[in-house]
Amino acid sequence: MNERQQIINLLTGVQSSKKSYYTELKKMVAELKKKNMQLEIINDITKSFNIDMSMDEMLKNTFDKLREIFPIERISLSLYENNKLVLTNVYPAHALYFPVGFVLPKERSLYWKVIQSLEKIFYQVQEDKDSYIENKVYKALGIRNVLLIPLISKGQVIGMLSIGSTETVVYDEADLSFFQQFCDQLAVCIENARLYNEVLTSKKEWEETFRAVSEMILVVDLDGNILRYNDAAKEFFQFHLHKKNICQLLSIDMNESPIIENLETKKPVHRRIHIQQRVCEFHSYPVLNEKQNMYAVMIYINDITEKLRIEAQLVQSGKLAAIGEMAAGIAHELNNPLTAILGNAQLLLRSFSKDDRSYKLLSDIYSCGKRCKTIIQNLLTFSRQDEYAFEECSVNEAVEQVLGLIGDQIQKQNITIQKKLDYSVELIEGNIQQIGQIILNLLINAKDALEDMEIPEKVIAIETKSVAENEKRWVVLSVKDNGKGIGEQHLQEIFHPFFTTKRPGKGTGLGLSVSLGIAQAHGGTIEVSSELGKGSEFRLKLPAKEERGD
């Protein structure tokens, strides 16, 4: 109050004059302008410092306003983290000496002195010696004096601001107080921005993980309304799920809602449910706040239809393997009596002339015995479990072996087998048992394709030939039928494991997959062409022996 009165007296009293009046008024206006600019700078930092504004922009805005009231030429920011002091920003750009990202050494460092003492330092640049490493920098930049202020947030130092001038400047207590307030506010803003960035990064990582999970994840409120869901859920249901009710979506009775069970027990709930003719595992987990009050439910849904189907197929495959072992055992047991039958038939044949009626009967017994022995031998060949060795072999011979095994059974189902084998085709290097396994599978598939057809003549055509493609010789086995054929939409899938177009219980879906694997192991492949209702043709292509590489 006294100070105010003194100013009034100076301006209007006896001691005043026109000259002193205008001088004092001009001085007051300058002071007021300076105070307003200082308040504006602090206010701008508070309002405009946000995640979208870079620190370079912030320093530029601050620098431009500070220059209106202080003779400054350079402003720089260094941040302290993990016991390192790093130069992060300098304005203007031409005032840069050390590169941005430079880690300041602790020895003879003025900046480190500020960090360690937590006190402001007003430093006059020395022309004759370099007591600090920064002194050399300031001399090179033409800086005469520097004000260095620590940035402190919540009692912890987070960095340091330096304000340099090319003129000799003196800061009074009011100026130093302003700079301290300015730096305190800047420290709060930097720390808030850092924390905000951490939260934003964590949120982004969580959202990316949430979206990337291949199983369905949904977050619902306590009424069952969907609040959030990941890409897998959207892909499965093929429409937007926001605000949809989970019970209505999954056709769950409201009285049996898992959310009610979560509310009552505050424990996870697990069920197996059917969604759109798919079998799914359903898990719901209560989401609790700090007071352990449940406010939402996290739902995890996993489509296990394929898993269950594969498990069933594996069980079926296990059964087939067991049947194969049993068949091999039976074949061994039948070999002994067959040997006796064939031996005795041969001995009796020597006792009768060819004109004798008994000779004809004995000949039939011997022929049937030999056929049985061939079937048993082929059965033993196909049931072998040992590792196969590659050697020279003939595709034609493999065809004859397989036809000797199942040819008669196919013909008994009124199916004609047309055999057109080129006996001049080259040998291949492979395993005849494995090649036979492919042929057997192709013949069985052709037989099954003809089984339910109502046509005058059912035909399976088997042909072997040599072809030249891409300057290589190939041995090609073709198995063609006039059965029901395969739809175009399934042609790309028939070689997938466990995929089958046969009715339930008729096939495992493994035959073609295994056959293709064997063909590829021999350096070949299996091609297919088919037309629905007209039949299919499968072509086994194997490199001729002289063409097959290691």
Side-chain angles (χ1 to χ4, degrees), residues 198-211:
E198 286 182 5
V199 172
L200 199 65
T201 302
S202 297
K203 180 175 179 287
K204 186 178 179 182
E205 289 175 352
W206 183 88
E207 287 178 344
E208 288 175 351
T209 303
F210 181 79
R211 287 196 303 268

Side-chain angles (χ1 to χ4, degrees), residues 38-50:
Q38 290 174 354
L39 290 171
E40 185 180 339
I41 290 171
I42 293 176
N43 188 49
D44 279 356
I45 286 184
T46 305
K47 288 195 307 181
S48 63
F49 198 100
N50 55 63

Side-chain angles (χ1 to χ4, degrees), residues 358-374:
S358 296
Y359 187 90
K360 174 64 175 164
L361 294 174
L362 288 168
S363 294
D364 289 343
I365 292 171
Y366 182 73
S367 297
C368 288
K370 278 191 70 176
R371 183 166 166 269
C372 287
K373 192 168 182 66
T374 301

Side-chain angles (χ1 to χ4, degrees), residues 239-251:
F239 57 83
H240 292 291
L241 305 175
H242 190 63
K243 294 299 183 183
K244 300 284 185 185
N245 188 276
I246 190 69
C247 293
Q248 294 175 359
L249 183 70
L250 304 181
S251 302

Side-chain angles (χ1 to χ4, degrees), residues 481-511:
D481 66 75
N482 60 341
K484 59 184 179 182
I486 303 167
E488 187 176 348
Q489 71 275 19
H490 292 143
L491 278 178
Q492 300 301 318
E493 300 180 79
I494 57 175
F495 292 103
H496 293 172
F498 305 110
F499 178 84
T500 180
T501 57
K502 298 177 183 179
R503 61 178 182 268
K506 193 68 179 174
T508 64
L510 288 169

